[in-house]
Coordinates of all heavy atoms in Angstrom, one line a residue:
P1 N -44.0 98.8 22.4 CA -42.6 98.7 23.0 C -42.3 97.3 23.4 O -43.2 96.6 23.9 CB -42.7 99.7 24.1 CG -44.1 99.8 24.5 CD -44.9 99.6 23.2
M2 N -41.0 97.0 23.3 CA -40.6 95.7 23.7 C -40.5 95.6 25.3 O -40.1 96.6 25.9 CB -39.2 95.4 23.2 CG -39.2 95.2 21.7 SD -37.5 94.8 21.2 CE -37.4 95.6 19.6
N3 N -40.9 94.5 25.8 CA -40.9 94.3 27.3 C -40.3 92.9 27.6 O -41.0 91.9 27.2 CB -42.3 94.5 27.9 CG -42.3 94.5 29.4 OD1 -41.2 94.6 30.0 ND2 -43.4 94.5 30.0
Y4 N -39.2 92.9 28.2 CA -38.5 91.6 28.5 C -38.2 91.5 30.0 O -37.9 92.5 30.7 CB -37.2 91.5 27.7 CG -37.5 91.5 26.2 CD1 -37.0 92.6 25.5 CD2 -38.2 90.5 25.6 CE1 -37.3 92.6 24.1 CE2 -38.5 90.5 24.3 CZ -38.0 91.6 23.5 OH -38.3 91.6 22.2
S5 N -38.2 90.2 30.5 CA -37.9 90.0 31.9 C -36.4 90.2 32.2 O -36.0 90.6 33.2 CB -38.3 88.5 32.3 OG -39.7 88.3 32.0
A6 N -35.6 89.8 31.2 CA -34.1 90.0 31.3 C -33.5 90.1 29.9 O -34.0 89.6 28.9 CB -33.6 88.7 32.0
I7 N -32.4 90.8 29.9 CA -31.5 90.9 28.7 C -30.1 90.6 29.1 O -29.6 91.1 30.1 CB -31.6 92.3 28.0 CG1 -33.1 92.5 27.6 CG2 -30.6 92.4 26.9 CD1 -33.3 93.9 27.1
Q8 N -29.4 89.7 28.3 CA -28.0 89.4 28.6 C -27.2 89.6 27.4 O -27.6 89.4 26.3 CB -27.8 88.1 29.2 CG -28.1 86.9 28.3 CD -27.7 85.6 29.0 OE1 -27.2 85.5 30.1 NE2 -28.0 84.5 28.3
V9 N -25.9 90.1 27.6 CA -25.0 90.3 26.5 C -24.3 89.0 26.3 O -23.8 88.3 27.2 CB -23.9 91.4 26.9 CG1 -22.8 91.5 25.9 CG2 -24.6 92.7 27.2
L10 N -24.3 88.5 25.0 CA -23.7 87.2 24.7 C -22.3 87.4 24.1 O -21.6 86.4 23.9 CB -24.6 86.5 23.7 CG -26.0 86.2 24.2 CD1 -26.8 85.5 23.1 CD2 -26.0 85.3 25.5
G11 N -21.9 88.5 23.6 CA -20.7 88.7 22.9 C -21.0 88.6 21.4 O -22.2 88.4 21.0
N12 N -20.0 88.9 20.5 CA -20.2 88.8 19.1 C -21.3 89.8 18.6 O -22.0 89.5 17.6 CB -20.5 87.4 18.6 CG -19.2 86.6 18.6 OD1 -18.2 86.9 19.2 ND2 -19.3 85.4 18.0
R13 N -21.5 90.9 19.4 CA -22.6 91.8 19.1 C -24.0 91.2 19.0 O -24.8 91.5 18.2 CB -22.3 92.6 17.7 CG -21.0 93.4 17.8 CD -20.7 94.1 16.5 NE -21.8 94.8 15.9 CZ -22.1 96.0 16.1 NH1 -21.5 96.7 17.0 NH2 -23.1 96.6 15.4
R14 N -24.2 90.2 19.9 CA -25.4 89.5 20.1 C -26.0 89.6 21.5 O -25.2 89.7 22.4 CB -25.3 88.1 19.7 CG -24.9 87.8 18.2 CD -25.9 88.3 17.3 NE -25.6 88.1 15.9 CZ -25.3 89.0 15.0 NH1 -25.1 90.3 15.4 NH2 -25.0 88.7 13.8
Y15 N -27.3 89.6 21.6 CA -27.9 89.7 22.9 C -29.0 88.7 23.0 O -29.6 88.3 22.0 CB -28.6 91.1 23.1 CG -27.5 92.2 23.0 CD1 -27.1 92.7 21.8 CD2 -27.0 92.7 24.2 CE1 -26.1 93.7 21.8 CE2 -26.0 93.7 24.2 CZ -25.6 94.2 22.9 OH -24.6 95.1 22.9
A16 N -29.4 88.2 24.2 CA -30.5 87.3 24.4 C -31.5 88.1 25.3 O -31.1 88.8 26.2 CB -30.0 86.1 25.1
A17 N -32.8 88.0 24.9 CA -33.8 88.6 25.7 C -34.8 87.5 26.1 O -35.2 86.7 25.3 CB -34.5 89.7 24.9
Q18 N -35.3 87.6 27.4 CA -36.2 86.6 27.9 C -37.6 87.2 28.0 O -37.8 88.3 28.5 CB -35.8 86.2 29.3 CG -36.6 85.1 29.9 CD -36.1 84.8 31.3 OE1 -35.8 85.7 32.1 NE2 -35.9 83.5 31.6
N19 N -38.6 86.5 27.4 CA -39.9 87.0 27.4 C -40.7 86.6 28.7 O -40.1 86.0 29.6 CB -40.7 86.5 26.2 CG -40.9 85.0 26.1 OD1 -40.8 84.3 27.1 ND2 -41.3 84.5 25.0
S20 N -41.9 87.0 28.8 CA -42.7 86.8 30.0 C -42.9 85.3 30.3 O -43.3 84.9 31.4 CB -44.0 87.5 29.9 OG -44.8 87.0 28.9
K21 N -42.8 84.4 29.3 CA -42.9 83.0 29.5 C -41.6 82.3 29.9 O -41.5 81.1 30.0 CB -43.4 82.3 28.2 CG -44.8 82.8 27.8 CD -45.3 82.2 26.5 CE -46.7 82.7 26.2 NZ -47.1 82.2 24.9
G22 N -40.5 83.1 30.0 CA -39.2 82.6 30.5 C -38.4 82.0 29.3 O -37.4 81.4 29.6
L23 N -38.8 82.2 28.1 CA -38.0 81.8 26.9 C -37.2 82.9 26.4 O -37.5 84.0 26.3 CB -39.0 81.2 25.9 CG -39.8 80.0 26.3 CD1 -40.8 79.6 25.2 CD2 -38.9 78.8 26.7
W24 N -36.0 82.5 25.9 CA -35.0 83.4 25.3 C -35.0 83.4 23.8 O -35.2 82.4 23.2 CB -33.6 83.0 25.8 CG -33.4 83.1 27.3 CD1 -33.6 82.1 28.2 CD2 -32.9 84.2 28.0 NE1 -33.3 82.6 29.4 CE2 -32.9 83.9 29.3 CE3 -32.5 85.5 27.6 CZ2 -32.4 84.8 30.3 CZ3 -32.1 86.4 28.6 CH2 -32.0 86.0 29.9
G25 N -34.8 84.6 23.3 CA -34.6 84.8 21.8 C -33.3 85.5 21.6 O -32.7 86.1 22.5
L26 N -32.8 85.4 20.4 CA -31.5 85.9 20.0 C -31.7 87.2 19.2 O -32.4 87.1 18.2 CB -30.7 84.8 19.3 CG -29.3 85.2 18.8 CD1 -28.4 85.5 20.0 CD2 -28.7 84.1 17.9
Y27 N -30.9 88.2 19.5 CA -31.1 89.5 18.8 C -29.7 90.0 18.4 O -28.7 89.7 19.0 CB -31.7 90.6 19.8 CG -33.1 90.3 20.0 CD1 -33.6 89.4 21.0 CD2 -34.1 91.0 19.3 CE1 -34.9 89.2 21.2 CE2 -35.5 90.8 19.6 CZ -35.8 89.9 20.5 OH -37.2 89.7 20.7
D28 N -29.7 90.9 17.4 CA -28.4 91.5 17.0 C -28.3 92.8 17.7 O -29.2 93.2 18.6 CB -28.4 91.7 15.4 CG -29.4 92.7 14.9 OD1 -30.0 93.5 15.7 OD2 -29.5 92.7 13.6
A29 N -27.2 93.6 17.5 CA -26.9 94.8 18.2 C -27.9 95.9 18.1 O -28.0 96.8 18.9 CB -25.5 95.3 17.8
V30 N -28.7 95.9 17.0 CA -29.7 97.0 16.8 C -31.1 96.6 17.2 O -32.1 97.3 17.0 CB -29.6 97.6 15.4 CG1 -28.3 98.3 15.1 CG2 -29.9 96.5 14.3
G31 N -31.2 95.4 17.7 CA -32.5 94.9 18.2 C -33.3 94.1 17.2 O -34.5 93.8 17.5
N32 N -32.7 93.7 16.1 CA -33.4 92.8 15.2 C -33.4 91.3 15.7 O -32.4 90.8 16.1 CB -32.8 92.8 13.8 CG -32.9 94.2 13.2 OD1 -33.9 94.8 13.1 ND2 -31.7 94.6 12.7
L33 N -34.6 90.7 15.7 CA -34.7 89.3 16.1 C -34.0 88.4 15.1 O -34.3 88.4 13.9 CB -36.2 88.9 16.2 CG -36.5 87.5 16.7 CD1 -36.1 87.3 18.2 CD2 -38.0 87.3 16.6
I34 N -33.1 87.6 15.6 CA -32.4 86.6 14.8 C -33.1 85.2 15.0 O -33.3 84.5 14.0 CB -30.9 86.5 15.2 CG1 -30.2 87.8 14.9 CG2 -30.2 85.4 14.4 CD1 -28.8 87.9 15.4
L35 N -33.3 84.8 16.2 CA -34.0 83.6 16.5 C -35.1 83.8 17.5 O -35.0 84.6 18.4 CB -33.0 82.5 17.1 CG -32.0 82.0 16.2 CD1 -31.0 81.1 17.0 CD2 -32.6 81.2 15.1
P36 N -36.3 83.2 17.3 CA -37.5 83.4 18.1 C -37.2 82.9 19.6 O -36.3 82.2 19.9 CB -38.6 82.6 17.5 CG -37.9 81.6 16.7 CD -36.6 82.2 16.3
H37 N -38.1 83.3 20.4 CA -38.1 83.0 21.9 C -38.5 81.5 22.0 O -39.7 81.3 22.3 CB -39.0 83.9 22.6 CG -38.4 85.3 22.7 ND1 -37.8 85.9 23.8 CD2 -38.4 86.3 21.7 CE1 -37.4 87.1 23.5 NE2 -37.8 87.4 22.3
E38 N -37.6 80.6 21.9 CA -37.9 79.2 22.0 C -36.8 78.5 22.8 O -36.8 77.3 22.9 CB -38.0 78.5 20.6 CG -36.7 78.7 19.8 CD -36.9 78.1 18.3 OE1 -38.1 77.9 17.9 OE2 -35.9 77.9 17.7
F39 N -35.9 79.2 23.4 CA -34.8 78.6 24.2 C -35.0 78.8 25.7 O -35.3 79.9 26.1 CB -33.4 79.3 23.8 CG -33.1 79.1 22.3 CD1 -33.5 80.1 21.4 CD2 -32.5 78.0 21.8 CE1 -33.3 79.9 20.0 CE2 -32.3 77.8 20.5 CZ -32.7 78.8 19.6
T40 N -34.7 77.7 26.4 CA -34.8 77.8 27.9 C -33.5 78.3 28.5 O -33.5 78.7 29.6 CB -35.1 76.4 28.5 OG1 -34.2 75.5 27.9 CG2 -36.5 76.0 28.1
E41 N -32.4 78.4 27.7 CA -31.1 78.9 28.1 C -30.3 79.3 26.9 O -30.3 78.6 25.9 CB -30.4 77.8 28.9 CG -29.1 78.2 29.4 CD -28.4 77.0 30.2 OE1 -29.1 76.0 30.5 OE2 -27.2 77.2 30.4
I42 N -29.6 80.4 27.0 CA -28.6 80.8 26.0 C -27.4 81.3 26.7 O -27.6 82.2 27.5 CB -29.1 81.8 25.0 CG1 -30.3 81.3 24.2 CG2 -28.0 82.2 24.0 CD1 -30.8 82.3 23.2
Q43 N -26.2 80.8 26.5 CA -25.0 81.2 27.2 C -24.2 82.1 26.3 O -24.3 82.1 25.1 CB -24.2 80.0 27.6 CG -24.9 79.0 28.6 CD -24.1 77.8 28.9 OE1 -22.9 77.7 28.7 NE2 -24.7 76.8 29.6
P44 N -23.3 82.9 26.9 CA -22.4 83.8 26.2 C -21.6 83.0 25.2 O -21.2 81.8 25.4 CB -21.6 84.5 27.2 CG -22.4 84.4 28.4 CD -23.2 83.1 28.4
F45 N -21.2 83.6 24.1 CA -20.3 83.0 23.1 C -18.9 82.7 23.6 O -18.4 83.5 24.3 CB -20.2 83.9 21.8 CG -21.5 83.9 21.0 CD1 -22.5 84.8 21.2 CD2 -21.7 82.9 20.0 CE1 -23.7 84.8 20.4 CE2 -22.8 82.8 19.3 CZ -23.8 83.8 19.5
Q46 N -18.5 81.5 23.3 CA -17.1 81.1 23.6 C -16.6 80.5 22.3 O -17.2 79.6 21.7 CB -17.1 80.0 24.6 CG -17.6 80.4 26.0 CD -16.6 81.2 26.7 OE1 -15.4 81.2 26.4 NE2 -17.1 82.0 27.6
S47 N -15.5 81.1 21.8 CA -14.9 80.6 20.5 C -15.9 80.6 19.4 O -15.9 79.7 18.6 CB -14.3 79.2 20.8 OG -13.3 78.9 19.9
G48 N -16.7 81.6 19.4 CA -17.7 81.8 18.3 C -18.9 81.0 18.3 O -19.7 81.0 17.4
K49 N -19.2 80.3 19.5 CA -20.4 79.4 19.6 C -21.0 79.7 21.0 O -20.4 80.0 21.9 CB -20.0 78.0 19.4 CG -19.4 77.6 18.1 CD -18.9 76.2 18.0 CE -18.2 75.9 16.7 NZ -16.9 76.6 16.6
S50 N -22.3 79.5 21.0 CA -23.1 79.7 22.2 C -23.8 78.3 22.5 O -24.5 77.8 21.7 CB -24.1 80.8 22.0 OG -25.0 80.8 23.1
V51 N -23.6 77.9 23.8 CA -24.4 76.7 24.3 C -25.8 77.2 24.5 O -26.0 78.2 25.2 CB -23.8 76.1 25.5 CG1 -24.7 75.0 26.1 CG2 -22.4 75.6 25.3
A52 N -26.8 76.5 24.0 CA -28.2 76.9 24.2 C -29.0 75.6 24.5 O -28.6 74.5 24.1 CB -28.7 77.6 23.0
A53 N -30.2 75.8 25.1 CA -31.1 74.7 25.4 C -32.5 75.0 24.9 O -33.0 76.1 25.0 CB -31.1 74.4 26.9
K54 N -33.1 73.9 24.3 CA -34.5 73.9 24.0 C -35.1 72.8 24.9 O -34.8 71.7 24.7 CB -34.7 73.6 22.6 CG -34.3 74.6 21.6 CD -34.7 74.2 20.2 CE -34.3 75.2 19.2 NZ -34.7 74.8 17.8
G55 N -35.8 73.3 25.9 CA -36.3 72.3 26.9 C -35.1 71.8 27.7 O -34.3 72.5 28.2
H56 N -34.9 70.5 27.7 CA -33.8 69.8 28.4 C -32.7 69.3 27.5 O -31.8 68.6 27.9 CB -34.3 68.7 29.3 CG -35.3 69.1 30.3 ND1 -34.9 69.8 31.4 CD2 -36.6 69.0 30.4 CE1 -36.0 70.1 32.1 NE2 -37.0 69.6 31.5
L57 N -32.8 69.7 26.2 CA -31.8 69.3 25.2 C -30.9 70.5 24.8 O -31.4 71.6 24.5 CB -32.4 68.7 24.0 CG -33.2 67.4 24.3 CD1 -33.9 66.9 23.0 CD2 -32.3 66.3 24.8
Y58 N -29.6 70.2 24.7 CA -28.6 71.3 24.5 C -28.0 71.1 23.1 O -27.9 70.0 22.5 CB -27.5 71.2 25.5 CG -27.9 71.7 26.8 CD1 -28.6 70.8 27.7 CD2 -27.7 73.0 27.2 CE1 -29.0 71.3 29.0 CE2 -28.1 73.4 28.5 CZ -28.7 72.6 29.3 OH -29.1 73.0 30.6
G59 N -27.6 72.2 22.5 CA -26.9 72.3 21.2 C -26.0 73.5 21.2 O -25.9 74.2 22.2
L60 N -25.5 73.8 20.0 CA -24.6 75.0 19.8 C -25.2 75.9 18.8 O -25.7 75.4 17.7 CB -23.2 74.6 19.4 CG -22.4 73.9 20.5 CD1 -21.0 73.5 19.9 CD2 -22.1 74.8 21.7
L61 N -25.1 77.2 19.0 CA -25.6 78.2 18.0 C -24.4 79.0 17.5 O -23.5 79.3 18.3 CB -26.6 79.2 18.6 CG -27.9 78.6 19.1 CD1 -28.7 79.7 19.8 CD2 -28.7 78.1 17.9
G62 N -24.4 79.4 16.3 CA -23.4 80.3 15.8 C -24.0 81.8 15.9 O -25.1 81.9 16.2
P63 N -23.1 82.8 15.7 CA -23.6 84.2 15.9 C -24.7 84.7 15.0 O -25.4 85.6 15.3 CB -22.3 85.0 15.7 CG -21.4 84.1 15.0 CD -21.7 82.7 15.3
N64 N -24.9 84.0 13.9 CA -26.0 84.4 13.0 C -27.2 83.5 13.1 O -28.1 83.5 12.3 CB -25.5 84.3 11.5 CG -24.4 85.3 11.3 OD1 -24.5 86.5 11.7 ND2 -23.3 84.9 10.6
G65 N -27.2 82.8 14.2 CA -28.4 81.9 14.6 C -28.4 80.6 14.0 O -29.3 79.8 14.2
E66 N -27.3 80.2 13.3 CA -27.2 78.9 12.7 C -27.0 77.8 13.8 O -26.3 78.1 14.8 CB -26.1 78.8 11.6 CG -24.7 79.0 12.1 CD -24.2 80.4 12.3 OE1 -25.0 81.3 12.4 OE2 -23.0 80.5 12.4
T67 N -27.6 76.7 13.6 CA -27.3 75.5 14.5 C -26.0 74.9 14.1 O -25.9 74.4 13.0 CB -28.5 74.5 14.4 OG1 -29.7 75.2 14.8 CG2 -28.3 73.4 15.4
V68 N -25.1 74.9 15.0 CA -23.8 74.3 14.8 C -23.7 72.9 15.3 O -23.1 72.0 14.7 CB -22.7 75.1 15.5 CG1 -21.3 74.5 15.4 CG2 -22.7 76.6 15.0
L69 N -24.5 72.6 16.4 CA -24.6 71.3 16.9 C -26.1 71.1 17.3 O -26.7 71.9 18.0 CB -23.8 71.1 18.2 CG -23.8 69.8 18.9 CD1 -23.3 68.6 18.0 CD2 -23.1 69.8 20.2
E70 N -26.7 70.1 16.7 CA -28.2 69.9 16.9 C -28.5 69.7 18.4 O -27.7 69.3 19.2 CB -28.6 68.6 16.2 CG -28.5 68.7 14.7 CD -29.4 69.7 14.1 OE1 -30.5 69.9 14.6 OE2 -29.0 70.3 13.1
F71 N -29.8 70.1 18.7 CA -30.3 70.1 20.1 C -30.7 68.7 20.5 O -31.9 68.4 20.6 CB -31.4 71.1 20.2 CG -30.9 72.5 20.1 CD1 -30.7 73.1 18.9 CD2 -30.6 73.2 21.3 CE1 -30.2 74.4 18.8 CE2 -30.1 74.5 21.2 CZ -29.9 75.1 20.0
T72 N -29.8 67.8 20.6 CA -30.0 66.4 20.9 C -29.2 65.9 22.1 O -29.2 64.7 22.4 CB -29.7 65.5 19.7 OG1 -28.4 65.7 19.4 CG2 -30.6 65.8 18.5
N73 N -28.5 66.8 22.8 CA -27.6 66.4 23.9 C -28.1 66.7 25.3 O -28.8 67.8 25.5 CB -26.3 67.2 23.7 CG -25.7 66.9 22.3 OD1 -25.1 65.9 22.0 ND2 -25.9 67.9 21.4
S74 N -27.8 65.9 26.2 CA -28.2 66.1 27.6 C -27.4 67.2 28.3 O -27.9 67.9 29.2 CB -28.1 64.9 28.5 OG -26.8 64.4 28.5
E75 N -26.3 67.5 27.7 CA -25.4 68.7 28.1 C -24.4 69.0 27.1 O -24.0 68.1 26.4 CB -24.8 68.5 29.5 CG -23.7 67.5 29.6 CD -23.1 67.5 31.0 OE1 -23.5 68.1 31.9 OE2 -22.1 66.7 31.1
V76 N -23.9 70.2 27.0 CA -22.8 70.6 26.2 C -22.0 71.6 27.1 O -22.6 72.6 27.6 CB -23.2 71.3 24.9 CG1 -22.0 71.8 24.2 CG2 -24.0 70.3 24.0
K77 N -20.7 71.4 27.2 CA -19.9 72.3 28.1 C -18.7 72.8 27.3 O -18.1 72.1 26.5 CB -19.5 71.6 29.3 CG -20.6 71.3 30.3 CD -20.1 70.7 31.6 CE -21.2 70.4 32.5 NZ -20.7 69.9 33.8
W78 N -18.3 74.0 27.6 CA -17.0 74.6 27.1 C -16.0 74.2 28.2 O -16.1 74.5 29.3 CB -17.2 76.1 27.0 CG -15.9 76.8 26.7 CD1 -15.2 77.6 27.5 CD2 -15.2 76.8 25.4 NE1 -14.1 78.1 26.9 CE2 -14.1 77.6 25.6 CE3 -15.4 76.1 24.2 CZ2 -13.1 77.8 24.6 CZ3 -14.4 76.3 23.2 CH2 -13.4 77.1 23.4
T79 N -14.9 73.5 27.7 CA -13.9 73.1 28.6 C -12.7 74.1 28.7 O -11.7 73.8 29.4 CB -13.3 71.7 28.2 OG1 -12.6 71.9 26.9 CG2 -14.4 70.7 28.2
G80 N -12.8 75.2 28.0 CA -11.7 76.1 27.9 C -10.9 76.0 26.6 O -10.2 76.9 26.2
E81 N -11.1 74.8 25.9 CA -10.4 74.6 24.7 C -11.3 74.0 23.6 O -11.1 74.2 22.4 CB -9.2 73.6 24.9 CG -8.1 74.2 25.7 CD -7.0 73.2 25.9 OE1 -7.0 72.1 25.2 OE2 -6.1 73.4 26.8
A82 N -12.4 73.3 24.1 CA -13.3 72.7 23.1 C -14.7 72.5 23.8 O -14.8 72.6 25.0 CB -12.8 71.4 22.7
F83 N -15.7 72.3 23.0 CA -17.0 71.9 23.5 C -17.1 70.4 23.7 O -16.6 69.7 22.8 CB -18.1 72.4 22.6 CG -18.2 73.9 22.6 CD1 -17.6 74.7 21.7 CD2 -19.0 74.5 23.6 CE1 -17.7 76.1 21.7 CE2 -19.1 75.9 23.6 CZ -18.4 76.7 22.7
R84 N -17.7 70.0 24.8 CA -17.9 68.5 25.0 C -19.3 68.3 25.5 O -19.9 69.0 26.1 CB -16.9 68.0 26.1 CG -15.5 68.2 25.7 CD -14.6 67.4 26.6 NE -13.3 67.7 26.4 CZ -12.5 67.1 25.5 NH1 -13.0 66.3 24.7 NH2 -11.2 67.4 25.4

């Protein structure tokens, strides 16, 4: 059985689950793993994209797990109209 420290709803029929090491993975609505547990943070989707972090570097993910913005940024924020 799966055992997670936390599960959060991200929107777009996607969920994030945190493992015992504190890392997040991306899952679809039926529990299939889309991306492995390698993220220190995954935020809910805004305008079809999720801000995520690997260590201290941020990037953007699409709902199918694709990298929309590489994980090379010290921060990425949703301003209500665009990501910066």
Side-chain angles (χ1 to χ4, degrees):
M2 295 184 211
N3 189 7
Y4 299 112
S5 302
I7 296 174
Q8 70 175 355
V9 177
L10 300 178
N12 287 11
R13 298 178 47 86
R14 298 295 183 253
Y15 299 84
Q18 187 180 46
N19 66 16
S20 61
K21 296 179 182 178
L23 298 175
W24 294 89
L26 181 65
Y27 289 82
D28 68 14
V30 295
N32 296 313
L33 181 65
I34 297 172
L35 289 173
H37 291 257
E38 60 185 14
F39 300 93
T40 52
E41 181 180 346
I42 299 179
Q43 298 178 13
F45 284 93
Q46 297 285 338
S47 206
K49 297 171 186 73
S50 170
V51 174
K54 289 183 180 182
H56 299 289
L57 297 176
Y58 288 82
L60 291 175
L61 297 174
N64 295 317
E66 67 275 19
T67 300
V68 178
L69 178 66
E70 294 296 327
F71 290 84
T72 58
N73 304 283
S74 60
E75 72 176 3
V76 175
K77 292 185 178 184
W78 172 251
T79 65
E81 296 182 10
F83 289 95
R84 299 193 188 276

